[in-house]
């Protein structure tokens, strides 16, 4: 297949081969035969284990190295010429130094291994908004996963043509030792070098590395947005479909929200899934904001996925799925904490399950084609993307932050996104459960200085007066006994309904200094066991209670120094005055 590649691409592949010294080179064509051959080879080598093929046809289990189960943010770098450009939100390394370090780590690393050349396209092949990349990897698991997660192979290579602006991603699992692990991004060169990890977020370079870190940098140059957002269509009983884009940090329920099944009494309501993790958004010629899912598959968190929390996901996972680090039942079916039935007998490390630790790793995953999702919509293939009516930000906050509120205008919405925070989860290594600031859920993924990123967000108001309304939600508030105050999951449709009514200006709301909150009774709670008082507490914003939070936000924003946009600071200050009144 290499004969169709551009000289530029061939040259790069030859250079990498000279450095990494693979035994052989395989250009991936993206065919079924190739996928099957990769699977057979991994079954033979023990990288994959066959699951019960009667109940789970073409489903396999991959057990990663136990030290390689999540993104490693402290080993992830943005390597721009100036440190200032990467910003305090990123680890930075001088590009020449990072290249030299990468060269040392990649030298001879593929000896005895196959080097896969994986051309891929992020977004539909016929969309002007899609972008191509090529990942070179020595991992068959990565090559097979890229087939599921992207438009991979011959067609992508064809689309790439002679274009020299494709993203070059070099990956090796190396020796999997943490001390040799590095994930370098060179946004100015559209290049990624990742070594020492086979974990999806570090190794499937089309996803976080390309579609978020490199793409966010490129999006600023080209006046679009690359965001950590799900995209879903909400259909009402009148048959109208409105699309939302929603940013939540990793492992905070984006996949569940994107595949929401409304409760029984919500007859005629339906949620359509466009994407569960990444949105590339462009202003259309009509002034509206359109979003496209650059991915073609889901790399979702398994634990907590059940017929109650996400029946669509359960239905899509019973064939053609790669599971990573889940447990296994006596019937050799995949098992994770929260699943409706079954008993694990083997844990994620392959040891007998003894009940003292979880059977599935808390960040165990499924990799599956989007097309297998019962709520997947063809609109996801629309080269223009889907028109967004509401942007939703949200975090995992046990206290203070209300169930839902609406920003007063676009600039205030940018502040709402910029001041997001959330409890950390198992999707990244480190302590779980501490609240950290995670603007737009992009803390681990913004490829440049957050101050400049907010400025870029603000600039959209100069280009259009038809931007979507901006909201903030919190499904995770707890009462004084520690219980969740809101049922979440399917019942979140009740909040989405209010959001869309507001976005379409079909209902009014109560104005507070921090934004618009629902009028009492305007969020439908019929059939829920929530007292009026609890609902009031859940939705209320008492400005005086926000002093500490606002102080924290102020400190955080100020840490961006001269990069903090004056307009954002003005928004902040005007609310501060009202809080202190
Ligand atoms: C993911 C993440 O895998 O955000 O999507 O970590
Ligand atoms: Mn994510």
């Amino acid at each position: 297949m290499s004969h169709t590649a551009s000289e530029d691409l061939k040259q790069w592949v030859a250079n990498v081969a000279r450095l990494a010294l693979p035994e052989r080179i395989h250009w991936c064509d993206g065919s079924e035969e190739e996928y099957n051959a990769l699977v057979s080879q991994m079954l033979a080598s023990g990288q994959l284990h066959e699951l019960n093929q009667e109940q789970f046809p073409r489903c396999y289990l991959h057990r990663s190295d136990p030290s390689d189960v999540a993104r490693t943010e402290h080993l992830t770098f943005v390597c721009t010429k100036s440190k200032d450009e990467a910003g305090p939100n990123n680890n930075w390394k001088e590009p020449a130094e990072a290249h030299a370090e990468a060269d040392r780590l990649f030298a001879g690393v593929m000896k005895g291994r196959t080097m896969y050349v994986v051309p891929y396209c992020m977004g539909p092949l016929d969309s002007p908004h899609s972008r191509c990349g090529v990942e070179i990897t020595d991992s068959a698991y990565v090559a097979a996963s890229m087939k599921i997660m992207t438009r991979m192979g011959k067609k992508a290579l064809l689309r790439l043509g002679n274009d020299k602006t494709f993203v070059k991603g070099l990956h090796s699992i190396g020796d999997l030792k943490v001390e040799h692990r590095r994930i370098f991004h060179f946004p100015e060169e559209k290049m990624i070098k990742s070594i020492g990890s086979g974990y999806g977020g570090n190794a499937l370079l089309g996803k976080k590395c390309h579609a978020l870190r490199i793409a966010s940098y490129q999006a600023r140059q080209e006046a679009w947005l690359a965001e950590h957002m799900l995209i879903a269509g909400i259909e009402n009983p009148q048959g109208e479909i409105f699309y939302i884009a929603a940013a939540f940090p990793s492992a905070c329920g984006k996949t569940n929200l994107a595949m929401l099944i409304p409760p029984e009494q919500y007859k005629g309501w339906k949620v359509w899934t466009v994407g569960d993790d990444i949105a590339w958004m462009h202003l259309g010629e009509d002034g509206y904001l359109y979003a496209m899912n650059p991915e073609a598959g889901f790399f979702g968190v398994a634990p907590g996925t059940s017929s109650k929390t996400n029946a669509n996901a359960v239905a899509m996972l019973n064939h053609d799925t790669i599971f990573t680090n889940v447990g296994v039942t006596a019937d050799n079916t995949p098992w994770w904490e929260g699943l409706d039935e079954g008993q694990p007998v083997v844990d994620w490390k392959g040891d007998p399950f003894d009940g003292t630790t979880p059977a599935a790793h808390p960040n165990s995953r499924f990799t599956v084609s989007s097309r297998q999702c019962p709520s997947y919509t063809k609109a996801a293939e629309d080269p223009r993307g889907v028109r967004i009516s509401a942007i939703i930000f949200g975090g995992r906050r046990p206290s203070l932050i209300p169930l839902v509120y609406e920003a007063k205008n676009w600039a205030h919405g940018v502040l709402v996104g910029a001041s997001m925070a959330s409890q950390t989860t198992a999707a990244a290594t480190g302590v779980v459960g501490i609240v950290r600031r995670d603007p737009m859920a992009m803390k681990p993924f913004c490829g440049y200085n957050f101050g400049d990123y907010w400025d870029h967000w603000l600039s959209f108001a100069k280009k259009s007066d038809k931007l979507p309304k901006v909201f903030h939600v919190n499904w995770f508030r707890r009462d004084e006994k520690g219980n969740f105050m809101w049922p979440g999951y399917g019942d979140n449709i009740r909040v989405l309904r209010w959001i869309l009514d507001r976005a379409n200006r079909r209902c009014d709301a109560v104005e507070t200094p921090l934004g618009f909150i629902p009028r009492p009774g305007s969020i439908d709670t019929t059939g829920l066991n929530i007292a009026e008082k609890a609902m009031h507490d859940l939705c209320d914003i008492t400005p005086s209670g926000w002093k500490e939070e606002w102080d924290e936000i102020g400190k955080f924003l100020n840490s961006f120094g001269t990069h903090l946009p004056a307009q954002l600071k003005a928004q902040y200050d005007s609310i501060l005055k009202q809080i202190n009144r």
Side-chain angles (χ1 to χ4, degrees), residues 370-390:
S370 310
R371 297 216 183 106
Q372 291 187 201
C373 178
S375 55
Y376 185 65
T377 165
K378 264 272 162 56
E381 309 288 335
D382 190 326
R384 282 169 312 174
V386 294
R387 194 218 272 184
I388 297 298
S389 296

Side-chain angles (χ1 to χ4, degrees), residues 414-559:
V414 176
L415 176 64
V416 168
S419 45
M420 260 171 76
S422 192
Q423 289 179 311
T424 50
T425 67
T429 54
V431 189
V432 169
I434 50 163
V435 172
R436 76 160 178 181
R437 302 242 79 89
D438 192 352
M440 280 83 170
M442 284 287 278
K443 166 71 188 75
F445 309 121
C446 182
Y448 62 105
N449 193 312
F450 259 149
D452 301 334
Y453 167 79
W454 297 325
D455 203 39
H456 179 50
W457 263 81
L458 289 166
S459 73
F460 280 76
K462 291 183 221 120
K463 299 191 191 100
S464 170
D465 57 3
K466 297 197 187 114
L467 295 172
K469 301 287 181 286
V470 180
F471 299 81
H472 190 286
V473 299
N474 177 21
W475 317 133
F476 301 95
R477 265 284 278 281
R478 291 181 189 261
D479 63 18
E480 49 302 327
K481 291 197 195 108
N483 300 317
F484 285 114
M485 293 171 74
W486 178 252
Y489 303 111
D491 287 308
N492 290 337
I493 190 80
R494 300 165 188 270
V495 178
L496 297 179
R497 184 178 177 180
W498 182 81
I499 285 175
L500 291 175
D501 278 348
R502 284 297 297 163
N504 293 311
R505 291 295 177 254
R506 291 177 182 173
C507 76
D508 62 0
V510 179
E511 187 165 2
T512 81
L514 284 130
F516 295 100
I517 57 173
R519 246 178 222 303
S522 67
I523 292 197
D524 171 36
T525 54
T526 46
L528 291 184
N529 190 14
I530 297 190
E532 219 175 285
K533 159 90 172 65
M535 203 57 200
H536 173 270
D537 292 349
L538 199 51
C539 293
D540 195 31
I541 289 181
T542 310
S544 58
W546 279 62
K547 273 197 167 80
E548 208 179 303
E549 174 79 1
W550 216 246
D551 200 38
E552 285 297 317
I553 292 170
K555 277 193 228 146
F556 176 69
L557 295 178
N558 283 331
S559 70

Side-chain angles (χ1 to χ4, degrees), residues 71 207-208 228 250 277 299 365 427 445:
R71 285 181 291 99
K207 193 173 179 64
K208 303 301 186 180
H228 192 202
S250 310
D277 195 42
F299 177 63
R365 300 274 178 152
F445 309 121

Side-chain angles (χ1 to χ4, degrees), residues 142-290:
V142 167
S145 301
M146 287 293 281
K147 151 95 173 146
I148 298 174
M149 294 301 297
T150 71
R151 281 99 175 157
M152 185 275 261
K154 227 185 227 161
K155 288 185 190 139
L157 192 63
L158 217 60
R159 151 128 196 180
L160 205 147
N162 282 320
D163 185 2
K164 287 195 174 142
T165 65
F166 69 92
V167 171
K168 296 183 169 98
L170 173 54
H171 169 257
S172 169
I173 51 172
D175 60 10
L176 287 176
K177 289 201 177 114
V178 182
E179 54 276 28
H180 297 151
R181 189 174 300 163
R182 299 286 182 279
I183 301 109
F184 291 133
H185 302 76
F186 305 89
E188 289 148 335
E189 303 166 56
K190 295 194 177 58
M191 187 171 275
I192 304 153
K193 293 184 178 178
S194 166
I195 186 157
S197 168
Y199 172 71
N202 297 330
L204 310 181
L205 300 185
K207 193 173 179 64
K208 303 301 186 180
C209 301
H210 178 165
L212 287 176
R213 297 196 191 95
I214 300 286
S216 60
Y217 186 93
Q218 191 174 11
R220 175 175 52 148
Q221 295 173 324
E222 298 173 3
W224 49 283
L225 292 164
E227 299 300 324
H228 192 202
M229 291 178 173
L230 69 93
I231 310 166
I234 319 293
E235 181 170 344
N236 65 20
Q238 291 73 50
E240 298 170 299
I241 303 179
F242 298 105
Y243 292 91
I244 58 163
F248 298 87
S250 310
C252 285
K254 282 198 296 300
T255 307
N256 293 342
L257 189 63
M259 298 175 192
L260 183 152
I261 297 179
E264 276 280 297
Q265 72 264 40
Y266 268 65
K267 297 235 173 346
W269 289 84
K270 166 132 184 82
V271 173
W272 296 101
T273 311
V274 177
D276 79 329
D277 195 42
I278 300 177
W280 283 1
M281 302 198 285
H282 297 79
L283 274 183
E285 276 165 19
D286 55 8
Y288 289 105
L289 193 66
Y290 287 80

Side-chain angles (χ1 to χ4, degrees), residues 14-30:
N15 290 346
V16 170
R18 221 169 292 126
L19 173 69
L21 303 176
E23 191 165 305
R24 61 191 88 75
I25 301 178
H26 175 86
W27 288 69
C28 289
D29 62 15

